[in-house]
Amino acid sequence: MDTLNAVLARIDADADAALERLFALLRIRSISTDPAYAAECKACADWHAADLASIGFEATARPTPGHPIVVGHHRAGNGPSALFYGHYDVQPVDPLDLWDHDPFEPRIETRADGTKVIRGRGASDDKGQVMTFIEACRAWKAVTGSLPVPLTVLLEGEEESGGVNLPPFLRANAAELKADIGLICDTNMWDPATPAIQTMLRGLCGEEIIITAADRDLHSGFYGSAAANPNHILARIIADLRDADGRITLPGFYDGVPELPEALRRQWDSLEFDAGAFLGAVGLSVPAGEKGRSVLEMTWSRPTCEVNGMGGGYQGAGFKTVIPSVASAKISFRLVFDQDPHKVRAAFRDFVRARVPADCKVEFLEHGSGSAIRFPIEDAAFGKARDALTAEWGKPAVFIGGGGSIPVTAELKQALGMDVILAGFALEDDRIHSPNEKYDLHCFRHGMRSWARILHALAS
Ligand code: BES
């Protein structure tokens, strides 16, 4: 216990320097989806490898056909081995004019109530969260010269872009990467005072469809009605994807989606989720999903179909009477329980093909897939992590569901047979993926201390 207290004190004493390091990381424009930022992604991977090496990890940034993957090993230590996964890439920053400052010039802002936030792209998702873990390791090394458990750190640069390079990397390096337990810091707290372990993640199936009709844009006066309009075809397809009750209409879509198990329902009921406040915080009030389902079910235990982007025809200023040649949409399905992403993709493609008229063609682009996953919270490691979080925050940690996806988790289970403890310190209002992303300073600080405690607990 004395050692742990010394480590916690070290984290507190080093807090300003930890923030400087995070700021250096946040200045790197590691937007993975845009090839224009490939060099910055590499720079970010190199930054992490050098930082890990500086605290005694054997660390390298390994090339892949896409962005590098950072692997660091610290083999000393007793007890069960752990693999920490995080991602160094970030989402694009558009629309840039909605940011109050340069997304890659991080800064501290003080809110009206005196609390402070770290503002910048990646502050929360996932650079700030990753650094809570690495700073905890740094403190353990500084105080004891070692880490409580043998540890591998794995940092990916394509999480935000549906990266295809990590699964083959995991399989090719399975023996090197396998550990007794996985750790990820890329999820939310229940609320600003209540720490949480997320016990399940939704899967994802991402598709882009491109519908082409005539071989050029046409004058809508000359060709209107006579020529197929891909915007209309696309609109019909998208409208058909949901029925009037909000159910998704793809044949077989709900295969593998059970009603919420009773134990889980009770656990979630005890959280007393406030759906009105949840929607109210983003200027909404009416749940838009499946009729007869609670908002928590809609976001945690039911699958979704969402159009994430669509385009076709003239979208500049003013007006242009055109029938476009091409229309396209990016569509994602969040998957739950035992839904099979490959079956969903196939059903979607059949559904679309059946609605594309003769004379027109459709092209499909695949944007990643992953299954949903649940973890056995009754296992000892989960209890230890929960107790460690409770000790740090002074409030019982809760087990929660969640709506987001972290595709690697299912891969860790399938390829390496590992369960993963998802302990994160992000908050619902962090604006991840949006302008003015932030991470609360107290989440960063207590996050570092939380990981120091979890590492200690895992070793016991
Ligand atoms: N950290 C998020 C996901 C998340 C947030 C999970 C909060 C649980 C609670 C992650 O970085 C993310 O945004 N993932 C993407 C994955 C996708 C691009 C394949 C997502 O969920 O959209």
Side-chain angles (χ1 to χ4, degrees):
M1 204 59 197
D2 284 352
T3 313
L4 175 60
N5 284 330
V7 172
L8 296 174
R10 168 76 196 184
I11 287 174
D12 293 345
D14 200 33
D16 287 347
L19 203 55
E20 278 309 311
R21 287 185 285 268
L22 174 58
F23 274 28
L25 181 60
L26 292 173
R27 288 192 190 100
I28 307 174
R29 298 164 187 253
S30 49
I31 302 171
S32 59
T33 198
D34 185 343
Y37 294 90
E40 301 251 10
C41 289
K42 181 171 182 312
C44 201
D46 290 340
W47 187 95
H48 272 301
D51 183 50
L52 286 168
S54 79
I55 52 173
F57 281 76
E58 243 173 71
T60 45
R62 308 212 194 152
T64 75
H67 303 304
I69 293 173
V70 179
V71 180
H73 294 292
H74 191 282
R75 297 180 205 272
N78 302 311
S81 57
L83 171 79
F84 176 83
Y85 162 90
H87 63 94
Y88 66 79
D89 63 323
V90 297
Q91 288 272 339
V93 293
D94 63 289
L96 194 54
D97 55 332
L98 293 185
W99 284 81
D100 295 334
H101 67 99
D102 182 339
F104 295 103
E105 262 317 315
R107 59 189 194 191
I108 296 288
E109 281 173 28
T110 307
R111 286 184 295 210
D113 63 1
T115 58
K116 292 183 194 306
V117 301
I118 305 162
R119 191 80 74 178
R121 174 54 91 229
S124 175
D125 185 11
D126 184 28
K127 291 175 174 176
Q129 300 246 62
V130 164
M131 290 310 283
T132 61
F133 184 83
I134 291 174
E135 293 299 341
C137 294
R138 196 184 319 275
W140 269 103
K141 284 287 288 185
V143 171
T144 69
S146 191
L147 295 175
V149 294
L151 181 69
T152 296
V153 171
L154 173 73
L155 304 174
E156 179 195 4
E158 299 179 6
E159 195 265 3
E160 300 288 14
S161 50
V164 290
N165 293 300
L166 188 65
F169 185 89
L170 285 181
R171 285 168 198 269
N173 299 285
E176 178 191 346
L177 297 173
K178 184 171 167 40
D180 294 312
I181 189 84
L183 306 172
I184 294 183
C185 189
D186 197 19
T187 50
N188 286 358
M189 298 189 33
W190 172 240
D191 64 36
T194 315
I197 293 177
Q198 189 165 319
T199 66
M200 49 205 283
L201 280 163
R202 291 201 288 189
L204 195 85
C205 171
E207 278 278 276
E208 182 167 349
I209 55 174
I210 303 163
I211 294 171
T212 308
D215 62 8
R216 74 203 70 170
D217 286 3
L218 302 171
H219 188 296
S220 65
F222 297 166
Y223 287 96
S225 290
N229 184 330
N231 275 346
H232 289 256
I233 298 166
L234 185 61
R236 168 70 54 83
I237 292 170
I238 288 171
D240 281 355
L241 280 166
R242 292 197 201 172
D243 70 15
D245 291 331
R247 272 179 75 85
I248 292 146
T249 55
L250 291 187
F253 185 71
Y254 290 95
D255 290 354
V257 183
E259 283 305 319
L260 195 58
E262 203 37 51
L264 210 50
R265 182 182 299 281
R266 276 200 304 277
Q267 193 185 315
W268 290 1
D269 282 348
S270 74
L271 294 168
E272 296 178 356
F273 176 72
D274 183 344
F278 173 73
L279 288 175
V282 293
L284 298 173
S285 60
V286 185
E290 279 176 277
K291 290 218 168 67
R293 302 277 175 193
S294 72
V295 170
L296 211 56
E297 275 182 284
M298 286 177 196
T299 55
W300 286 7
S301 68
R302 300 295 294 174
T304 67
C305 163
E306 292 294 338
V307 181
N308 302 122
M310 56 197 288
Y314 183 66
Q315 289 166 53
F319 203 77
K320 184 180 178 191
T321 48
V322 70
I323 297 175
S325 162
V326 180
S328 65
K330 297 174 196 284
I331 298 178
S332 61
F333 298 89
R334 298 273 169 184
L335 309 178
V336 298
F337 295 98
D338 298 320
Q339 274 178 304
D340 178 341
H342 306 294
K343 278 197 189 151
V344 168
R345 192 182 303 285
F348 173 71
R349 290 185 175 186
D350 288 346
F351 183 94
V352 171
R353 283 193 195 102
R355 285 164 177 76
V356 175
D359 233 15
C360 300
K361 67 173 205 259
V362 58
E363 194 188 331
F364 296 94
L365 300 179
E366 183 172 334
H367 286 285
S369 59
S371 314
I373 187 155
R374 278 169 297 158
F375 293 110
I377 52 178
E378 49 293 335
D379 282 10
F382 287 81
K384 288 177 185 178
R386 181 186 195 165
D387 292 347
L389 288 170
T390 299
E392 175 57 27
W393 294 81
K395 201 166 170 202
V398 291
F399 288 131
I400 60 172
S405 308
I406 307 176
V408 70
T409 44
E411 278 296 321
L412 288 175
K413 181 80 193 176
Q414 285 155 11
L416 304 183
M418 292 168 54
D419 289 324
V420 180
I421 298 174
L422 297 157
F425 309 99
L427 298 177
E428 214 159 75
D429 67 354
D430 277 359
R431 297 170 172 268
I432 66 169
H433 300 196
S434 294
N436 298 323
E437 178 176 349
K438 63 86 175 158
Y439 197 41
D440 282 38
L441 195 59
H442 97 280
C443 291
F444 184 55
R445 183 164 168 267
H446 289 286
M448 296 187 280
R449 293 172 50 99
S450 297
W451 283 118
R453 289 181 189 271
I454 291 173
L455 287 171
H456 181 251
L458 290 176
S460 67

